[in-house]
Amino acid sequence: MEKKIIYSAVQPSGNLTIGNYAGAIRNWVRLQSEYDCFFAIADMHAITVRQDPAELRRRTLELAALYIACGIDPEKCVLYVQSHVPAHAELCWVLNTFTYVGEASRMTQFKDKSQKHADNINMGLMDYPVLMAADILLYKADFVPVGADQKQHVELARDIAMRFNGRCGETFTVPEPLILKGGARIASLQDPAHKMSKSETENPNASVFLSDDRDTVLRKFKRAVTDSGNEVRYGEEKPGVSNLLNIYCTFKGCTPEEAEREFAGVGYGDFKLAVGETVADVLAPIQKEKARLLAEKDELVSYLVSGRERAAYAARKTLSKVYRKVGFWKE
Ligand code: ATP
Ligand code: LTN
């Protein structure tokens, strides 16, 4: 039986946080044996917010190394850089004509980012989910594993696919978001009402980065906000502690009940230390492998070149079909 197809991507727009790991990459590693997977580095999405060119280049390679260090097997999966495959921009243009301005402007991320970058509300920011739909639809993805914040974009991709199929005939697979339980939303350590984000740089203690050394990880958890009371348990009135428990379970691989039992009678200080140590233990081997891959670049580059070729082949097939369906002439 043919394997179902998975597609996902992360933008090289900042240092990855444990939120990106828990909500995205960690889950991909588990999916790669069961599905045919395409994992991209979404550099075209990243430039919707101003980037320093040299930094973007550096981060792109770093993200590729990180994918592999986290356990993505570049021989099993297609791991590639989005801008290396021109079909993304080409399909995006066609899909733009199947997307309403009203739909795009209702996207939560567009509204958030417009507020955050009020001096640069560019067309790309609004077109972001259409480019994302192009990513997904080019590879006929059945499932798109993402954190809860991206669900709305995958739903728009579904709507665009159905609209195109309805008008031009069966062309695209209609994708489904795959929101995995646990780690789907890791909140900021300083404000549990907001998600932990890699572009949050104002408060240095809000996000734990995958590149943070042990001391930094422990310090950030030590400073994490907790709640009133002194019991370590889940509860709506305990958003800070619940977030820390969530992180603990994700990194330890245990259930919420097991974690609550383990920390019964333990004070906030010791609890935060235990969470920090657990996270730091998981990060250490990832950091070591990432450093090795970046030091011996040839291996990394060869994975990305092979990924580009495999991705371009699959994408070209879909794009040719779309061009035919919309009526573009070809000799
Ligand atoms: P930015 O701050 O640049 O918008 P981000 O940190 O929100 O970035 P993205 O590149 O938008 O990260 O997301 C990459 C993947 O990580 C997505 O699948 C997203 O859902 C997931 N993700 C991001 N932040 C979190 C989080 N705090 N908890 C769980 N998953 C997350
Ligand atoms: N917008 C996504 C990254 C992304 C993506 C995709 C995710 C770009 N293209 C296609 C899934 C499928 C993000 O910021 N997380």
Side-chain angles (χ1 to χ4, degrees):
M1 205 176 76
E2 265 194 26
K3 284 185 181 174
K4 296 259 184 197
I5 299 172
I6 292 255
Y7 187 96
S8 201
V10 172
Q11 308 177 64
S13 55
N15 286 325
L16 259 64
T17 69
I18 57 168
N20 299 124
Y21 177 73
I25 301 178
R26 187 184 62 111
N27 300 315
W28 303 356
V29 174
R30 290 196 301 226
L31 295 166
Q32 63 185 348
S33 48
E34 224 181 300
Y35 297 92
D36 278 337
C37 297
F38 291 84
F39 296 125
I41 296 164
D43 55 347
M44 292 166 72
H45 279 102
I47 62 164
T48 56
V49 170
R50 290 278 168 260
Q51 304 289 336
D52 174 73
E55 273 286 284
L56 183 61
R57 250 187 296 278
R58 185 184 63 76
R59 284 198 175 123
T60 298
L61 266 192
E62 235 188 63
L63 185 51
L66 199 57
Y67 277 176
I68 299 169
C70 287
I72 303 284
D73 179 347
E75 285 172 359
K76 219 186 269 173
C77 309
V78 179
L79 171 61
Y80 74 101
V81 179
Q82 186 187 30
S83 66
H84 290 181
V85 180
H88 290 256
E90 294 170 290
L91 181 61
C92 179
W93 179 253
V94 175
L95 298 185
N96 274 330
T97 67
F98 285 80
T99 311
Y100 298 111
V101 171
E103 277 175 318
S105 58
R106 272 197 298 277
M107 294 290 118
T108 308
Q109 180 181 292
F110 171 65
K111 289 192 272 188
D112 285 353
K113 289 206 175 174
S114 304
Q115 234 172 24
K116 217 161 142 191
H117 306 278
D119 56 336
N120 182 22
I121 308 178
N122 61 70
M123 291 293 289
L125 204 55
M126 189 162 164
D127 209 22
Y128 182 113
V130 186
L131 178 60
M132 193 165 147
D135 298 345
I136 298 167
L137 301 182
L138 272 177
Y139 301 94
K140 306 190 182 305
D142 297 284
F143 301 108
V144 183
V146 281
D149 62 306
Q150 294 295 317
K151 185 165 176 250
Q152 198 183 29
H153 290 164
V154 182
E155 279 162 359
L156 180 65
R158 284 175 66 82
D159 291 341
I160 296 173
M162 289 190 280
R163 195 171 296 149
F164 188 97
N165 288 349
R167 181 145 188 102
C168 302
E170 277 310 305
T171 308
F172 294 126
T173 303
V174 180
E176 273 179 50
L178 196 64
I179 315 284
L180 297 148
K181 287 197 298 283
R185 186 181 189 280
I186 302 278
S188 152
L189 294 190
Q190 292 297 314
D191 177 4
H194 284 102
K195 76 161 191 167
M196 186 180 283
S197 148
K198 60 174 137 62
S199 54
E200 153 71 302
T201 42
E202 262 168 46
N203 188 334
N205 291 316
S207 301
V208 177
F209 298 106
L210 295 183
S211 54
D212 283 346
D213 61 26
R214 190 172 192 91
D215 288 347
T216 309
V217 173
L218 294 182
R219 194 187 64 238
K220 287 181 177 175
F221 278 101
K222 191 170 167 193
R223 301 203 176 140
V225 299
T226 42
D227 314 285
S228 57
N230 51 17
E231 255 179 286
V232 177
R233 62 173 168 76
Y234 277 96
E236 257 175 49
E237 72 295 357
K238 285 183 173 274
V241 171
S242 299
N243 185 41
L244 292 173
L245 275 169
N246 212 0
I247 295 172
Y248 183 76
C249 291
T250 306
F251 281 81
K252 189 84 179 177
C254 64
T255 65
E257 295 75 27
E258 283 166 350
E260 276 186 339
R261 237 176 290 134
E262 184 178 343
F263 293 111
V266 175
Y268 283 166
D270 288 343
F271 165 57
K272 290 199 279 188
L273 183 63
V275 182
E277 281 180 336
T278 303
V279 171
D281 286 347
V282 173
L283 298 189
I286 295 178
Q287 291 167 350
K288 198 166 155 221
E289 175 63 359
K290 178 182 136 193
R292 184 193 71 78
L293 285 159
L294 287 171
E296 303 156 24
K297 266 203 201 92
D298 291 357
E299 182 187 342
L300 187 60
V301 171
S302 74
Y303 290 140
L304 292 175
V305 169
S306 135
R308 168 177 66 196
E309 275 156 19
R310 290 192 282 160
Y313 178 78
R316 197 37 63 184
K317 267 185 23 193
T318 309
L319 189 72
S320 302
K321 188 166 177 191
V322 170
Y323 273 16
R324 198 158 21 86
K325 297 264 184 174
V326 296
F328 288 167
W329 179 83
K330 197 164 182 276
E331 76 292 349

